[in-house]
Amino acid sequence: MEPEVEIALVAAIAALAVGVLGLGAGWLVRRRSLAFQLGLVALVAVTAVLAGVLAVAWRMFLSRPDLGVVTTITLVAGVVSLLVALVVGRFLAAWSEALRQEVRQVGDGAPYVPDGRGPAEFRTLSEELSATRERLEAARTREQRLEESRRELISWVSHDLRTPLAGMRAMTEALEDGIAVDPERYHAQIRAEVDRMVRMVDDLFELSRIHAGVLRLDPQPVVLGDVVSESLAAADPIAMARRVRVGGSVEPGLQVTADPAGLSRVLSNLVINAIRHTPSDGAVEVTGRMAPEWIEVAVTDQCGGLTDEEQSRVFDVAWQGGAARTPEPGEQRGSGIGLAIVKGIVEAHRGRVSVENVAAGCRFLVRLPLEAPVSGQP
């Protein structure tokens, strides 16, 4: 065997033996600090070199003086390497501890700004923590708003059920005792209150299906102009009672692939909501057009505009802004969940709904995708 080959083979065997021992030691200290891990790596590297040198010397390839020189150099290099590894390990441990504190701050919701220290991987992780904190903050805000909406919904349901039930109870007792002055009017009023509660229960049931993710869609081609005309016709009695003009314009032949009942519910809720918030002699306009990536339907009213807080909460469940809870005489007050249903149905169609202020009021904009949602899926 050639001397060079034998030297390489002997050094490889010695280094392999030291490496196996190093792996065993690494397994033993796997739960210790990074400083121990890096120190072990440096120690294994230097020991592997020293073991190779001693093995080669044992095979009589090195003289005793040369062995002493090489051994001294290797030991000095080993000590220096070990010290450097320990120092780097301490820095890594400190950066790791700082990162742990940052994670704790994120978990506690405390203000957090990445300090930008440490290796590139640590800085990247710190930036990701900052982004995670922003997402958690947004989720926490949504959760708080949902909790407020739930409380408002319970309060609203309690109010809107207790009041008509008390009135119907008084009217039925008057009818039973025969002291009703106008029995027919009492019967008509009871019927009207029952119908209103039925609509309210239907809205609650629809909203529960939306939140549970079980809203079923039956998408099919629908002529948008027909749906808009039907919605305006259905809302015309309310508009006439409030002396509000309603009208609209849709691009001729414009079709949208959507669930007909769901789309009709969306437009009806938006139109009725616009009429109720438009003063007398005002106007409500519905328009439909083809956009580059969407089919857009806009409902514009003359409500006077919304504040930033109102725009952020207008689609929340049971939120009714600053309006009084008690309707005016002869007026049917909204349930406060109509716009929440609109948002749920539109999002089930993979669309978007938004609101913005215009010159005299608000514009609710519904964007529906050109491609239809999957049939039967929410």
Side-chain angles (χ1 to χ4, degrees), residues 306-369:
L306 298 172
T307 65
D308 292 341
E309 180 184 0
E310 288 172 337
Q311 289 188 39
S312 65
R313 296 203 60 193
V314 70
F315 295 105
D316 288 355
V317 177
W319 190 81
Q320 296 181 345
R325 284 200 169 278
T326 304
E328 297 178 358
E331 179 187 0
Q332 290 294 324
R333 179 174 57 82
S335 63
I337 60 177
L339 294 180
I341 292 176
V342 167
K343 182 180 180 182
I345 295 177
V346 171
E347 291 181 349
H349 282 80
R350 307 294 190 265
R352 300 176 185 174
V353 59
S354 60
V355 61
E356 61 182 358
N357 288 330
V358 292
C362 301
R363 183 177 70 166
F364 287 84
L365 184 61
V366 175
R367 294 185 174 96
L368 297 174

Side-chain angles (χ1 to χ4, degrees), residues 113-156:
V113 177
D115 57 11
R117 296 186 302 168
E121 291 79 4
F122 279 28
R123 294 198 303 271
T124 302
L125 184 57
S126 183
E127 293 172 359
E128 185 62 29
L129 280 174
S130 179
T132 300
R133 181 190 174 278
E134 293 177 0
R135 291 193 294 268
L136 287 175
E137 186 65 25
R140 188 179 294 110
T141 302
R142 287 195 299 270
E143 182 64 26
Q144 291 175 352
R145 289 177 56 179
L146 286 174
E147 182 61 28
E148 292 175 1
S149 297
R150 283 192 289 267
R151 288 197 297 266
E152 291 176 353
L153 180 61
I154 293 174
S155 175
W156 164 74

Side-chain angles (χ1 to χ4, degrees), residues 246-271:
V246 294
S249 62
V250 179
E251 293 181 359
L254 183 59
Q255 286 190 344
V256 57
T257 302
D259 179 71
L263 183 59
S264 178
R265 182 73 177 272
V266 167
L267 291 177
S268 296
N269 284 6
L270 289 177
V271 170

Side-chain angles (χ1 to χ4, degrees), residues 195-339:
D195 290 341
R196 188 166 75 89
M197 286 191 291
V198 168
R199 290 194 299 270
M200 179 179 63
V201 172
D202 290 341
D203 286 346
L204 289 173
F205 179 69
E206 187 79 2
L207 189 65
S208 68
R209 293 170 59 200
I210 292 172
H211 286 176
V214 296
L215 180 64
R216 313 303 294 181
L217 300 178
D218 182 20
Q220 53 186 273
V222 178
V223 179
L224 185 58
D226 293 344
V227 181
V228 171
S229 298
E230 292 173 0
S231 300
L232 294 178
D236 191 60
I238 301 177
M240 293 179 61
R242 297 184 61 91
R243 300 197 306 276
V244 173
R245 301 184 305 276
V246 294
S249 62
V250 179
E251 293 181 359
L254 183 59
Q255 286 190 344
V256 57
T257 302
D259 179 71
L263 183 59
S264 178
R265 182 73 177 272
V266 167
L267 291 177
S268 296
N269 284 6
L270 289 177
V271 170
I272 292 175
N273 177 77
I275 292 173
R276 284 174 174 160
H277 291 85
T278 297
S280 298
D281 300 325
V284 172
E285 183 180 9
V286 183
T287 59
R289 71 183 186 93
M290 172 74 76
E293 299 180 359
W294 307 87
I295 293 178
E296 295 184 348
V297 182
V299 178
T300 306
D301 58 33
Q302 295 181 347
C303 66
L306 298 172
T307 65
D308 292 341
E309 180 184 0
E310 288 172 337
Q311 289 188 39
S312 65
R313 296 203 60 193
V314 70
F315 295 105
D316 288 355
V317 177
W319 190 81
Q320 296 181 345
R325 284 200 169 278
T326 304
E328 297 178 358
E331 179 187 0
Q332 290 294 324
R333 179 174 57 82
S335 63
I337 60 177
L339 294 180

